């Protein structure tokens, strides 16, 4: 295989080559960004960890309106009895498989924002996730809201890091992008070896800057592979991957505990990253929801509470806030397959050692529906705006395409 054929087969000889290559960085390279200066400054810098639940989490069976008879009428086979739920107040409760999050709630380290959605809901996984990650419900755009923050602050690549298998649109800017480090490491086709990739990745005289950068990014991937596998082996749970239900093509296939373990290493090392992106997939529960949904919620509960507990033990970790969202909730009424179909509004969790815990916003009513769906009571950009202004010290409207948050949400630990 020649160098030119290699680049053509990889699909990176066009104008997108530079952007594709810019996101490659290894865990050792990331950890090396920690210097005495950054470690000294780290306890004064707030950090945001964004957890994406791909597939559309069933918010009504996550934060349960257990005191409302309409909940039991709408989903008699899926509803949780009042005596089993983990009560938050006289109206709402957490799913019984979320004892860790319930403990964080009791210690005021968990905030729940109720009824979060966007105008004119779209029930497509991909369009709705695009709306959430670009923060623009009106029209498709090519940049994510964190990516625009990277552009606007001229941030280095390590300022925003994803531990997912591919870089999410969330971290893509017009001129900059975040770094992508896959927990699972690199999977090569049988016809290619790491030696071949390394050789083809060497610069050649007379080629364009785009092609040179694209080829170099492949060589970087090979170098990164060993680093990531070592880090993954040290942080992942052996049972997490084997028990993980299959995702639905909407991302989030890596163990959440492994991803958050890498985040924890970086935070504790004083790496100057401000935003981390991790994910958990499989929430598209159209049939036999109870078993699969509980499995996913258990994984979220264990991984998230362990991470928050770990963060509370260090000065660096105490400035970390975690934002958990999904692209939409589910329909109020169960379907004929003991599952739920694509819906609209749902809860957002914010957790961390210094989060101002409690309930924010208004739980949507079950008697005032929009064609069988919950009516959003909180615009998702109000939540993102709070993260931008408080955690990143940024002007929300600048990065939310002109949207000015309308609801004050004093949830996050300030910068």
């Amino acid at each position: 295989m020649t160098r030119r054929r290699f680049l053509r087969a990889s699909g990176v000889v066009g104008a997108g080559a530079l952007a594709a290559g810019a996101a490659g960085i290894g865990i050792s390279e990331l950890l090396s960004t920690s210097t005495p200066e950054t470690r000294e400054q780290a306890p004064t810098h707030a950090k945001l960890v964004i957890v994406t639940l791909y597939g559309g989490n069933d918010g009504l069976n996550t934060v349960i309106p257990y005191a409302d008879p309409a909940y039991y009428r709408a989903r008699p086979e899926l509803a949780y009895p009042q005596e089993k739920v983990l009560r938050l107040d006289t109206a709402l409760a957490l799913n019984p498989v979320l004892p860790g999050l319930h403990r964080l709630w009791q210690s005021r380290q968990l905030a729940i924002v109720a009824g979060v959605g966007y105008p004119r809901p779209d029930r497509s996984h991909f369009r709705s996730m695009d709306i959430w990650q670009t923060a623009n419900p009106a029209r498709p755009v090519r940049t994510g809201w964190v990516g625009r923050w990277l552009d606007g602050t001229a941030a280095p690549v390590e300022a925003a890091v994803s531990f997912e298998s591919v870089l999410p649109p969330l971290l893509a800017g017009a001129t900059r992008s975040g770094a992508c480090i896959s927990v699972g490491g690199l999977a090569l086709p049988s016809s290619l070896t790491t030696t071949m990739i390394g050789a083809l990745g060497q610069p050649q005289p007379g080629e364009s800057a785009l092609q040179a950068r694209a080829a170099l990014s492949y060589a970087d991937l090979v170098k990164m592979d060993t680093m990531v596998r070592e880090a993954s082996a040290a942080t992942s749970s052996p049972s997490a991957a084997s028990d993980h239900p299959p995702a639905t093509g909407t991302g989030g296939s890596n163990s959440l505990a492994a991803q958050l373990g890498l985040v924890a290493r970086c935070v504790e090392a004083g790496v100057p990253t401000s935003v981390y992106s991790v994910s958990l997939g499989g929430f598209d529960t159209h049939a036999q929801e109870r078993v699969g949904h509980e499995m996913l919620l258990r994984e979220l509960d264990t991984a998230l509470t362990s991470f928050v507990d770990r963060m509370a033990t260090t000065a660096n970790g105490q400035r970390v806030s975690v934002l958990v969202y999904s692209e939409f909730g589910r329909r109020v009424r169960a379907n004929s397959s003991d599952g739920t179909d694509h819906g609209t509004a749902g809860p957002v969790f914010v957790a961390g050692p210094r989060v101002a815990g409690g309930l924010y916003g208004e739980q949507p009513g079950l008697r005032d529906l929009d064609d069988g769906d919950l009516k959003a009571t909180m615009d998702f950009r109000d939540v993102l705006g709070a993260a931008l202004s408080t955690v990143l010290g940024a002007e929300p409207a600048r990065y939310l395409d002109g949207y000015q948050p309308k609801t004050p949400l004093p949830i996050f630990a300030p910068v």
Side-chain angles (χ1 to χ4, degrees), residues 34 52 69 72 76 83 89 107 109 134 144 168 170 209 226 232 237 268 275 301 394:
S34 173
T52 301
Y72 299 94
E83 62 272 16
D89 57 22
S107 63
Q109 295 181 84
T134 65
L170 172 71
T226 301
S232 179
S237 165
E268 291 164 355
V275 181
D301 187 69

Side-chain angles (χ1 to χ4, degrees), residues 89-129:
D89 57 22
T90 58
L92 298 174
L94 288 177
N95 189 292
V97 303
L98 297 173
L101 291 181
H102 191 247
R103 173 175 57 82
L104 292 182
W105 169 271
Q106 292 175 322
S107 63
R108 306 292 292 180
Q109 295 181 84
L110 175 68
I112 300 174
V113 188
V116 182
Y118 55 84
R120 298 180 297 280
D122 192 306
R123 294 189 183 93
S124 161
H125 287 296
F126 303 102
R127 177 62 186 135
S128 189
M129 187 57 71

